[in-house]
Amino acid sequence: TLIILYALREAGLSQFRAVALVVSEGVGAVLALFGLGYLLRHLSQSLAYGLSLVFGIAALLLIGLSRDFVWLALAGVLLSLAAAALHLLNMNQLSQQVQDKSKVSGLFQLASMAGGFVGAMAGGVISYLIGLGPLFVCWALLILVIALAWYTARRQVPVAA
């Protein structure tokens, strides 16, 4: 994905190392999907979502600010942990829905695929304007701002008239 382009173009890594980044991210994702379930069951949902956002933001900042293979590999693993945790949390929420699960699941899949497509396309276009490194930093900041706005909106209690 975009981390390969970043590794090759901006970090100056070899093709072997760029592929190794993707492999480490993939291995991290598989291990996280198999291993995070137990941990997530013992955390509150808000804490689990919060930690996954922290890992994701940290990963994006590491990618955007590093050029070293070790830091980029760590970022890939953190990104995998974040994505796997979000996936498990979302699947848990879907399983608890009382509505027609097939419709809810289909809509969830559609939104996930559309988000991935639009995100990749927008990232590709924006990267031509500002570069890949700043793109990852901007992406992290955007996620942080949206998460803080969402948290603030959910915390506000209506004032009784």
Side-chain angles (χ1 to χ4, degrees):
T1 60
L2 290 176
I3 195 169
I4 293 175
L5 293 174
Y6 180 76
L8 292 171
R9 287 186 186 168
E10 296 194 20
L13 299 180
S14 67
Q15 287 181 345
F16 176 79
R17 289 221 163 179
V19 170
L21 286 175
V22 174
V23 169
S24 67
E25 192 174 336
V27 169
V30 170
L31 293 176
L33 284 170
F34 283 112
L36 280 179
Y38 178 80
L39 177 65
L40 293 174
R41 278 194 304 262
H42 292 86
L43 298 175
S44 70
Q45 184 173 321
S46 59
L47 178 60
Y49 270 113
L51 287 174
S52 65
L53 284 172
V54 167
F55 285 165
I57 290 169
L60 293 170
L61 289 173
L62 272 174
I63 293 169
L65 300 173
S66 332
R67 295 193 188 292
D68 185 55
F69 173 77
V70 173
W71 291 110
L72 292 173
L74 174 62
V77 170
L78 286 174
L79 199 56
S80 294
L81 284 172
L86 285 173
H87 176 75
L88 291 171
L89 290 165
N90 290 337
M91 290 299 107
N92 183 49
Q93 279 192 337
L94 281 176
S95 72
Q96 296 174 5
Q97 294 298 313
V98 294
Q99 297 94 346
D100 183 4
K101 286 183 178 43
S102 65
K103 290 181 182 178
V104 173
S105 176
L107 184 59
F108 177 78
Q109 282 302 107
L110 174 64
S112 295
M113 293 174 76
F117 174 74
V118 170
M121 294 301 288
V125 170
I126 295 170
S127 71
Y128 282 110
L129 301 173
I130 64 172
L132 283 169
L135 172 67
F136 284 104
V137 173
C138 289
W139 191 4
L141 294 176
L142 177 65
I143 291 171
L144 179 62
V145 166
I146 291 171
L148 289 174
W150 180 263
Y151 177 78
T152 302
R154 289 182 51 96
R155 285 291 194 195
Q156 291 185 359
V157 177
V159 178

